[in-house]
Amino acid sequence: MKNKVNRQLDEKLMDQLNYQPFQGAAIGHPVKQRVAPKVRVSTGEDKLVDSLEDVVKKTVKDGMTISFHHHFRNGDFVFNKVMRIIIDLGIKNLTLAPSSLTGVMNELVIEGIKKGAITNITSSGMRGSLGDFISHGNLENPVIFRSHGGRARAIENGEIKIDVAFLGVPNADRLGNANGRFGDAVFGSLGYALMDAQYADQVVLITDNIVPYPNTPASIKQTQVDYVVKVDKVGDPDKIGSGATRFTKDPKELRIAEMVNRVIVNSSYFKNDFSFQTGSGGAALAVTRYLRQSMIDNGIKASFALGGITKPTTDLLKEGLVRRVMDVQDFDKGAADSMHSNPNQQEIDASWYADADNKGAMVDQLDVVILSALEIDTKFNVNVMTGSDGVIRGAVGGHQDAATAKLTIICAPLVRGRIATVTPDVTTIVTPGESVDVLVTEVGIAINPKRTDLIKILSQVPGLPIYTIEELQQLAQKQVGTPKPLEYQDKVVALIEYRDGSIIDQVKQIKD
């Protein structure tokens, strides 16, 4: 069967997993039913446990679904502590359901798959050796990739039923009140973990910092927690900002950022009380710095900034250029440190951030969003999941969710090395072209033809180079040539959900 973006889907697999093909970005107003977790009643006794292994033995059984958060990013120590115990105990047939998988988790996930401990995975993304391992067909069942809002939706409606959530926190009291703001391993917002704490049948907090009761402010509450385990160290906060959240000095990325800022400033959305979100790529992050100066020059203040938060964004809050920061995760230590000192930096959970099936998500109020891309095609479809070689090396993240903004800007170089970023067809569709308004490259911009209002306004901006997206694709092809078509085997190794739970694309096993 084919979906609305003309992607062929495995009909047998779609029927087996009870999926519907993607039919469009519009969500409508369906009535949805949420689920509730089981509750093991506590009568006030301490929940402190000396041994993580003992807790794993009590809680995890064959065939269960276990979850983790990725707020420590590449500084995470908790995941590997828990998975080492699970593998050594010989527990089998688990579904792994983290908010995302970072590089420090790869080795034990691969070992867990090889030893039969893990047979299903649902995540926002994966990279490195694990992405390569999955792309070569080494997991029995297809990975389900969901956006951050899509994961919240799936947890709330019971599609993801978490049996045990193992949640690392930088502090907790003896009954399980915890936050991400204080301690040696501060990471700021617990936005993704809050979903697990609310809906998992059993919640295990893991911390290196037991504080006096009652611990406030409490992001995770004692009413949600079954066990609290103290360990030597839960994570390295200095590695929160590593990897994707680098601050660029690349002249090409800075040129892209400067051009993105010109698009925003010359649009009808740049006015007092506008709202915005930036992504995690180098150019997308740099936009915040250019935008700051434009706001000062024009006397403009934003109502809120949303999403994964960086220090440049919290600096805008401190300067009074942004009234509120709505914070679902912190991309660097500066943003994390800001949370405990500024009451206008509001922690939000992933449902409030981007769940398509709740009574009003923050992404629905976004005026402007700046996002990056591995590939974008001539229909404005965006790929942030697979490389041009077909190997999984990215994450859906909040890409689909935030692309519902009034002005969605994709920033990406025309080519990377000898690989075109602007292509006739992307390798994997994650965000549909109907959600994308403008592509910005170092060469110039392309505007989605459906946005005649933007074409009219931006065509009048002096010195702003405007192309059709087909022209940009031809420029890219002229630089790097036409690649050989990818060859795949029949096995589907991953399904990409759209934020409403329909399937927008699939990833097949690559041929060696």
Side-chain angles (χ1 to χ4, degrees), residues 1-3 6-22 140-142 144 488-496 503-509:
M1 68 173 68
K2 285 190 176 183
N3 61 16
N6 203 36
R7 289 296 163 123
Q8 187 68 45
L9 304 175
D10 186 309
E11 189 166 354
K12 182 178 179 182
L13 186 61
M14 293 284 286
D15 290 342
Q16 177 186 332
L17 298 177
N18 196 30
Y19 271 119
Q20 296 297 316
F22 172 74
E140 178 182 347
N141 300 305
I144 308 299
Y488 298 96
Q489 299 192 39
D490 291 337
K491 181 178 180 178
V492 176
V493 299
L495 293 172
I496 315 295
I503 299 301
I504 195 166
D505 209 344
Q506 64 183 20
V507 180
K508 284 195 169 184
Q509 179 180 340

Side-chain angles (χ1 to χ4, degrees), residues 380-411:
F380 287 86
N381 298 312
V382 178
N383 171 26
V384 289
M385 179 55 64
T386 55
S388 59
D389 56 0
V391 174
I392 298 166
R393 60 177 79 251
V396 182
H399 205 282
Q400 304 170 339
D401 301 318
T404 56
K406 297 180 180 70
L407 174 58
T408 298
I409 302 170
I410 304 297
C411 59

Side-chain angles (χ1 to χ4, degrees), residues 62-230:
D62 290 356
M64 281 187 166
T65 295
I66 61 172
S67 72
F68 303 81
H69 68 71
H70 72 288
H71 287 291
F72 286 120
R73 303 173 74 80
N74 283 323
D76 192 294
F77 294 167
V78 169
F79 180 88
N80 287 339
K81 289 178 186 290
V82 175
M83 283 307 304
R84 179 77 273 154
I85 295 169
I86 286 173
I87 293 169
D88 290 348
L89 288 174
I91 297 170
K92 304 294 184 184
N93 195 33
L94 297 178
T95 294
L96 185 61
S99 52
S100 198
L101 288 163
T102 63
V104 295
M105 305 172 182
N106 287 355
E107 184 177 332
L108 279 189
V109 176
I110 292 171
E111 182 181 344
I113 293 170
K114 288 180 177 179
K115 293 183 176 178
I118 299 168
T119 52
N120 291 277
I121 298 175
T122 176
S123 175
S124 171
M126 60 180 63
R127 296 175 172 85
S129 58
L130 178 59
D132 186 72
F133 184 77
I134 296 297
S135 299
H136 283 87
N138 290 301
L139 182 65
E140 178 182 347
N141 300 305
V143 175
I144 308 299
F145 287 115
R146 294 179 168 97
S147 71
H148 292 320
R151 180 179 188 264
R153 175 197 53 76
I155 289 172
E156 288 176 332
N157 69 18
E159 289 173 25
I160 299 175
K161 181 56 181 171
I162 302 170
D163 294 296
V164 191
F166 294 95
L167 306 177
V169 289
N171 62 72
D173 64 30
R174 58 185 173 82
L175 291 185
N177 298 297
N179 62 64
R181 307 178 193 188
F182 305 99
D184 294 334
V186 168
F187 53 73
S189 176
L190 269 161
Y192 300 132
L194 296 180
M195 300 306 304
D196 306 57
Q198 185 176 351
Y199 284 91
D201 282 348
Q202 299 177 88
V203 176
V204 180
L205 295 192
I206 301 166
T207 187
D208 53 14
N209 181 26
I210 301 295
V211 300
Y213 177 88
N215 183 25
T216 60
S219 300
I220 295 174
K221 303 170 184 64
Q222 65 189 64
T223 56
Q224 301 166 327
V225 176
D226 296 276
Y227 302 97
V228 180
V229 184
K230 188 177 187 302

